[in-house]
């Protein structure tokens, strides 16, 4: 297999449609400066939110742990002295930590305080108003700029504005890119979803590659990227 033609390519941003486990082996070794991704958690998540026109479908491959087989592939692509940021749920933090630690040097976990959780079980559980992101290093990576804390308070995306059931704010991802990569970096998101990582990269003038198995979300990501261009015209 060879690298497929990009679904979208413009201004240093490329999107590939397909399963990342098939596309990642075709990318060049040690070509990526930062991995920033929010993979399916393997918990069969079903959002109860509705947009103006429909209810979100279940996320592809969110009923298994296929992401684990991608971790060694991602390590190979990452440049030495660089890092990866991997979101996970509190429900699977322990197993994700163990799997990532097989290939990366785990240094930190970011706690994203998103300012409110979902509806959930109102009688038996506390509101889950945070999410976690594990930081794995390759080599002797150093953070960019001044050292900061690991609890980040950034408001979540307002439900009616969401284009994906687990969409995270671009502000969160721009902060991560600024902390974990230099200005000339190439960012990779192998589980792109609706493209927030790529939008954040574009806002910062960085190059980025996104891979997404759903053509619906590839199309949404392209539209979001084009809207960002229009804002600056």
């Amino acid at each position: 297999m060879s690298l497929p033609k990009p679904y979208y390519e413009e201004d240093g941003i490329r999107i590939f449609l397909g399963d990342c486990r098939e596309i990642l082996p075709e990318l060049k070794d040690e070509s990526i400066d930062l991995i920033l991704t929010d993979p399916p958690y393997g918990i069969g998540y079903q959002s109860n939110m509705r947009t103006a026109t429909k209810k979100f479908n279940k996320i592809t491959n969110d009923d298994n742990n296929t992401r684990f087989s991608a971790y060694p592939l991602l390590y190979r692509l990452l440049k030495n002295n660089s890092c990866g940021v991997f979101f996970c749920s509190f429900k699977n933090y322990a197993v994700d930590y163990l799997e990532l630690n097989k290939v990366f040097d785990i240094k930190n976990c970011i706690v994203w305080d998103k300012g409110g959780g979902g509806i959930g079980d109102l009688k038996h559980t506390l509101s889950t108003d945070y999410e976690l992101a594990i930081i794995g290093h390759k080599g002797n990576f150093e953070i960019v700029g001044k050292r900061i804390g690991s609890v980040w308070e950034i408001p979540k995306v307002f439900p009616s504005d969401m284009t994906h059931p687990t969409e995270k704010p671009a502000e969160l991802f721009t902060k991560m890119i600024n902390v974990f990569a230099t200005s000339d970096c190439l960012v990779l998101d192998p589980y792109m979803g609706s493209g927030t990582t790529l939008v954040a990269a574009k806002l910062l003038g960085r190059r980025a590659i996104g891979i997404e198995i759903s053509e619906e979300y590839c199309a949404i990501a392209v539209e979001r990227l084009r809207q960002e261009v229009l804002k600056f015209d």
Side-chain angles (χ1 to χ4, degrees), residues 36-106:
L36 175 50
T37 192
D38 182 21
Y41 294 164
I43 59 176
Y45 176 70
Q46 175 65 68
S47 172
N48 290 317
M49 292 184 299
R50 292 181 180 271
T51 65
T53 58
K54 67 174 184 177
K55 182 177 179 179
F56 287 119
N57 294 322
K58 284 190 175 182
I59 301 168
T60 302
N61 284 343
D62 195 31
D63 56 353
N64 54 55
N65 293 322
T66 56
R67 65 193 181 283
F68 296 161
S69 61
Y71 293 159
L73 303 175
L74 293 170
Y75 185 85
R76 177 185 63 81
L77 295 176
L78 196 62
K79 290 180 180 178
N80 196 31
N81 302 328
S82 299
C83 80
V85 182
F86 304 87
F87 277 90
C88 65
S89 165
F90 77 93
K91 295 179 180 179
N92 56 21
Y93 174 84
V95 66
D96 268 275
Y97 184 102
L98 291 174
E99 291 295 327
L100 284 165
N101 198 46
K102 291 177 181 178
V103 287
F104 294 91
D105 180 14
I106 305 299

Side-chain angles (χ1 to χ4, degrees), residues 34-36 83 85 87 110-113 133 135 141-155 168-183 185 187 196-206:
L34 172 64
I35 296 164
L36 175 50
C83 80
V85 182
F87 277 90
I110 292 173
V111 179
W112 170 40
D113 178 354
I135 315 301
F141 170 73
E142 296 182 3
I143 59 174
V144 178
K146 183 180 178 181
R147 189 186 193 210
I148 60 175
S150 54
V151 178
W152 296 5
E153 297 181 21
I154 295 175
K168 294 172 175 55
E171 181 185 356
L172 177 63
F173 283 16
T174 55
K175 182 172 182 176
M176 288 177 167
I177 293 172
N178 280 328
V179 170
F180 296 114
T182 56
S183 59
C185 71
V187 183
T196 301
T197 298
L198 275 60
V199 169
K202 191 174 188 68
L203 288 170
L204 295 173
R206 314 293 175 88

Side-chain angles (χ1 to χ4, degrees), residues 17-18 24 83 96 108 119 125 171 191 206 219 223 231:
L17 169 62
L24 292 175
C83 80
D96 268 275
N108 270 118
I119 296 175
T125 66
E171 181 185 356
Y191 299 94
R206 314 293 175 88
E223 181 62 24
K231 289 179 181 178

